[in-house]
Amino acid sequence: MASALAAKMGFNSLLRKQAKNFSVRICTMESDMEFNCEVKLKGKELFDLVCRALGLRETWFFGLQYNVKDTVAWLKMEKRVLDQEIPKEEPITFQFLAKFYPENAEEELVQDITQHLFFLQVKKKILDEEIHCPPEASVLLASYAVHAKYGDYDPGIHKPGFLAEEELLPKRVINLYQMTPEMWEERITACYAQHRGRTRDEAEMEYLKIAQDLDMYGVNYFLIRNKKGTDLLLGVDALGLHIYDLDNKLTPKCSFPWNEIRNISYSDKEFTIKPLDKKANVFKFNSSRLRVNKLILQLCIGNHDLFMRRRRVDSLEVQQMKAQAREEHARKQVERQRLQREKQMREEAERARNELERRLMHLQDEAQMANDALLRSEQTADLLAEKAQIAEEEAKLLAEKAAEAETEMQRIKVTAIRGQEERRLIEQKMIQAEMLALQMAEESERRAKEAEHLKQDLQEARESERRAKHKLLEIMNPAGTASPLTVEEGCRENLSFEFKDTDMKRLSMEIEKEKVEYMEKSKHLQEQLNELKTEIESLKLKERETPLDIIHNQNAEQGTSKHSNFKKVPNSRHGAQILLCLPFIIRL
């Protein structure tokens, strides 16, 4: 038996000597990478290779995860990759994931790539319901996820239905309310429209700031059994150790902050937690497998180290990274302000051009109306001139008739020497002739007046024609009107400008002001969550609530959370010096 085992080991070592390289596939939350590695490659070397490929410097949060015998495991940094219990099928697949979570994402996450990887991982855990999230927070988180992907809301681009293919809410939340996908999209879009002006990085950070307050955020759960044989859950996170009931992952029964733990050790399957207070009871529990104990210990060591590291002065590397991040943030802020000013100037130039085009169209319409009025005036003037000519001809004709009547009357008077009867007849004719002459004279006078009025109308029509022509000339050649091209060129010339030191000083003051406004933003965020909860509460189906939903609602009413079991952890430098003196002994 021993000889057969030795022969097999010798054969395996021979195969490894012959195969000098092996292939590895690294799956991140965003993409996959493949590497061809030497057989002597250690875990730390492979991890550094992946971090360099990603441009990641905040490496202490991450690790390479794999599955072995239905258990999650993390690649050990100090051992060779092929000497560990990893799948032997090539390419060997590892998941590049966050192993430890920050206490405060905004203060601890420096690089944009670090923030982006955390955002993708936390978002996936919420959608997969590994982290319990209340409905109102789910809607707000979905709106920030949409903003991170699509940028500022634009009604012309982001029309109803543009989120139809997106997975934004946990299925538990969707099934809990009598709401159609269109109603959910309307709620999410209403919140999304309020985030205008934020960059992708800012939207992702707002997402993490909301998610880090969820009860199950950053907690690794393990099934354990206490001395009485009761099955419980052990939770390990950035703040300490928590003990939960099996059916309640939200509210811990008791908690052990890292600064109150004196010693953690395990022997075989038994795990022991010794508090700093020697008078306090020692907590012991058993886990199902030895491999689980090793994983718990790894997480305890890593989280405790980060807990202590946060309370020390930052290392030179971290200080340099934060300084570079601040400079980069300042540069981006200046660039954003410059782009905003250029955008505003372009919009103003566009508005000025549109205004000039509108005025040009208005002037063209006025010119067309003036042309039409001039044409009508000319037609009216011609018609009045024709009528005046006709009236003059009629007046001349009437004057000739009146002269003939007068001549006839004189002739009758000269020849009226005949008898009385003739005289009477002549007198009658004379009277008739006089009456006729009088009527003709009156008619001639009326016609003359009418002709005079027509002449005046003709003069007025010609004066109107002259004024219309003058107005048309003013419209066609307006004084002091600049062309759209001139305005647009002037606006284009104004796009060039220089930055001064005052811009950087003002930017620094704005960054300081953001800290002061943090509490006001948190209050606004809570009001926004309460408003969302109120809007959708009437559509909620109580019978579909999960046990975690019920527990979450009770905790919200009572104001309790996983943090309420902690004593206040000192964050000052003096507290940090005390914590540094705490022994933290690991015994196997």
Side-chain angles (χ1 to χ4, degrees):
M1 182 69 179
S3 60
L5 181 60
K8 184 176 181 181
M9 291 177 64
F11 180 70
N12 289 337
S13 62
L14 180 61
L15 287 178
R16 289 187 179 179
K17 289 181 180 179
Q18 291 177 352
K20 295 183 179 180
N21 297 316
F22 65 97
S23 59
V24 175
R25 176 182 292 129
I26 306 297
C27 301
T28 68
M29 296 302 301
E30 198 168 30
S31 61
D32 295 348
M33 299 180 290
E34 291 196 5
F35 299 94
N36 193 23
C37 306
E38 296 181 355
V39 293
K40 296 182 179 180
L41 190 74
K42 291 185 177 181
K44 183 69 167 64
E45 295 172 338
L46 176 59
F47 181 73
D48 291 340
L49 185 63
V50 176
C51 292
R52 284 196 299 271
L54 293 173
L56 180 69
R57 296 180 64 186
E58 296 174 278
T59 58
W60 48 86
F61 290 114
F62 297 90
L64 295 174
Q65 187 187 88
Y66 61 94
N67 295 324
V68 53
K69 297 181 181 179
D70 300 328
T71 304
V72 171
W74 296 89
L75 190 68
K76 296 179 179 63
M77 298 290 107
E78 68 279 1
K79 296 179 64 175
R80 290 184 181 182
V81 175
L82 295 180
D83 291 343
Q84 304 183 43
E85 294 180 332
I86 59 174
K88 302 304 180 183
E89 296 82 9
E90 293 192 18
I92 302 173
T93 302
F94 295 100
Q95 302 289 332
F96 186 83
L97 298 172
K99 186 177 181 181
F100 306 106
Y101 287 77
E103 291 181 29
N104 189 319
E106 188 174 22
E107 293 181 0
E108 295 183 46
L109 301 184
V110 179
Q111 285 188 288
D112 293 339
I113 181 62
T114 311
Q115 174 184 304
H116 185 58
L117 292 175
F118 265 101
F119 163 74
L120 295 176
Q121 184 167 334
V122 173
K123 176 186 172 186
K124 184 177 186 303
K125 283 183 174 289
I126 290 176
L127 295 179
D128 293 343
E129 301 183 23
E130 295 180 26
I131 297 177
H132 179 270
C133 185
E136 61 275 11
S138 299
V139 173
L140 189 57
L141 289 174
S143 68
Y144 280 113
V146 172
H147 188 89
K149 181 175 181 179
Y150 292 98
D152 284 341
Y153 173 69
D154 187 348
I157 299 175
H158 306 124
K159 298 180 179 179
F162 79 105
L163 298 178
E165 303 298 326
E166 299 287 342
E167 184 182 2
L168 298 172
L169 297 172
K171 293 182 180 179
R172 173 186 58 82
V173 173
I174 296 175
N175 295 332
L176 193 58
Y177 293 87
Q178 291 179 323
M179 295 175 65
T180 62
E182 291 76 16
M183 295 170 68
W184 284 116
E185 180 178 333
E186 182 181 355
R187 293 289 194 285
I188 295 172
T189 304
C191 296
Y192 169 39
Q194 299 176 7
H195 307 329
R196 185 175 182 83
R198 285 186 171 90
T199 62
R200 188 197 78 168
D201 296 336
E202 291 173 343
E204 291 179 352
M205 180 53 70
E206 291 297 326
Y207 188 102
L208 291 175
K209 286 163 61 177
I210 297 172
Q212 71 185 5
D213 292 331
L214 300 177
D215 292 322
M216 296 176 63
Y217 168 85
V219 183
N220 292 284
Y221 295 93
F222 300 94
L223 181 63
I224 61 172
R225 180 173 296 173
N226 61 12
K227 288 184 177 181
K228 297 180 180 180
T230 305
D231 288 335
L232 299 170
L233 287 175
L234 172 68
V236 184
D237 68 359
L239 296 175
L241 299 176
H242 314 277
I243 308 300
Y244 299 87
D245 287 326
L246 283 178
D247 56 351
N248 183 1
K249 291 184 177 181
L250 301 181
T251 310
K253 295 180 65 177
C254 62
S255 297
F256 301 92
W258 294 121
N259 62 320
E260 295 182 5
I261 297 176
R262 178 165 54 93
N263 176 268
I264 297 176
S265 62
Y266 74 89
S267 176
D268 196 13
K269 295 181 181 180
E270 186 180 67
F271 221 97
T272 303
I273 301 175
K274 294 181 180 180
L276 187 64
D277 185 2
K278 295 183 178 181
K279 296 181 181 180
N281 295 327
V282 176
F283 185 79
K284 295 184 178 182
F285 61 86
N286 294 322
S287 62
S288 59
R289 301 178 185 176
L290 179 62
R291 185 180 291 107
V292 174
N293 277 349
K294 293 181 179 180
L295 178 57
I296 294 173
L297 188 61
Q298 285 181 15
L299 294 176
C300 289
I301 294 172
N303 278 299
H304 180 270
D305 289 344
L306 288 177
F307 182 86
M308 301 300 292
R309 180 176 180 173
R310 294 182 191 106
R311 285 149 182 83
R312 297 192 190 103
V313 177
D314 290 334
S315 64
L316 182 60
E317 180 186 5
V318 175
Q319 291 179 16
Q320 291 175 348
M321 289 172 57
K322 289 185 176 180
Q324 291 175 1
R326 285 193 296 269
E327 292 175 0
E328 182 67 16
H329 180 71
R331 188 190 64 78
K332 288 183 178 179
Q333 285 287 89
V334 173
E335 183 68 15
R336 281 181 59 192
Q337 291 178 358
R338 184 183 68 81
L339 292 176
Q340 287 177 356
R341 285 195 292 267
E342 289 183 356
K343 181 180 179 181
Q344 183 178 2
M345 294 177 69
R346 284 196 299 269
E347 290 176 351
E348 290 177 355
E350 185 68 19
R351 285 195 296 270
R353 187 176 67 84
N354 293 335
E355 178 64 20
L356 289 175
E357 289 180 352
R358 187 188 64 78
R359 289 176 58 188
L360 179 60
M361 293 294 295
H362 181 68
L363 292 174
Q364 288 176 349
D365 292 340
E366 286 188 352
Q368 183 63 35
M369 293 173 62
N371 281 328
D372 295 341
L374 178 61
L375 181 60
R376 288 193 299 270
S377 297
E378 290 176 349
Q379 293 175 352
T380 303
D382 293 341
L383 181 61
L384 290 174
E386 186 177 350
K387 287 184 177 181
Q389 185 178 0
I390 293 173
E392 288 179 355
E393 291 177 356
E394 289 181 352
K396 290 179 180 179
L397 182 60
L398 289 174
E400 291 175 357
K401 288 183 178 181
E404 290 177 358
E406 184 65 26
T407 304
E408 183 65 20
M409 184 181 65
Q410 292 296 330
R411 188 183 62 77
I412 293 173
K413 285 181 179 180
V414 172
T415 57
I417 55 176
R418 296 183 181 172
Q420 190 65 26
E421 188 63 27
E422 286 181 336
R423 193 178 295 111
R424 186 178 60 79
L425 293 174
I426 290 171
E427 287 177 354
Q428 291 180 353
K429 288 182 179 181
M430 287 175 63
I431 292 171
Q432 291 177 357
E434 288 177 356
M435 293 177 64
L436 181 60
L438 183 60
Q439 291 176 357
M440 288 183 177
E442 291 176 353
E443 181 68 18
S444 175
E445 185 178 355
R446 186 180 65 78
R447 292 289 183 175
K449 290 180 179 180
E450 183 176 355
E452 187 66 22
H453 287 314
L454 290 174
K455 287 180 180 180
Q456 293 177 0
D457 292 342
L458 176 61
Q459 292 177 357
E460 292 176 356
R462 287 175 177 171
E463 182 64 20
S464 299
E465 178 182 357
R466 186 186 63 79
R467 289 197 300 271
K469 288 180 178 180
H470 182 68
K471 184 176 182 180
L472 178 60
L473 290 175
E474 290 180 349
I475 294 172
M476 295 303 292
N477 298 298
T481 303
S483 65
L485 178 60
T486 305
V487 175
E488 188 170 0
E489 289 175 354
C491 294
R492 188 177 298 113
E493 292 174 357
N494 291 331
L495 292 179
S496 62
F497 55 93
E498 297 179 357
F499 295 108
K500 299 181 179 178
D501 293 339
T502 54
D503 292 333
M504 297 301 296
K505 292 180 180 178
R506 184 173 64 254
L507 180 60
S508 300
M509 293 176 66
E510 292 176 358
I511 293 173
E512 290 297 328
K513 190 182 295 181
E514 289 178 359
K515 297 180 181 178
V516 179
E517 296 175 350
Y518 175 76
M519 294 303 297
E520 296 180 2
K521 291 183 180 178
S522 300
K523 183 178 179 181
H524 173 71
L525 174 62
Q526 189 60 38
E527 292 175 354
Q528 195 173 14
L529 290 173
N530 292 335
E531 183 179 351
L532 283 172
K533 183 176 181 179
T534 303
E535 288 180 0
I536 63 177
E537 188 67 24
S538 59
L539 300 173
K540 189 173 183 179
L541 298 174
K542 293 288 186 179
E543 62 274 10
R544 294 185 182 179
E545 285 188 332
T546 63
L548 290 181
D549 291 326
I550 297 173
I551 294 170
H552 172 77
N553 293 335
Q554 293 174 352
N555 289 344
E557 293 176 359
Q558 298 173 3
T560 60
S561 69
K562 69 179 182 182
H563 304 296
S564 61
N565 288 284
F566 282 150
K567 297 178 181 178
K568 186 175 182 181
V569 178
N571 288 317
S572 66
R573 295 302 177 192
H574 180 69
Q577 294 175 1
I578 295 174
L579 290 174
L580 287 174
C581 297
L582 297 179
F584 188 78
I585 305 171
I586 307 300
R587 294 207 311 270
L588 299 179

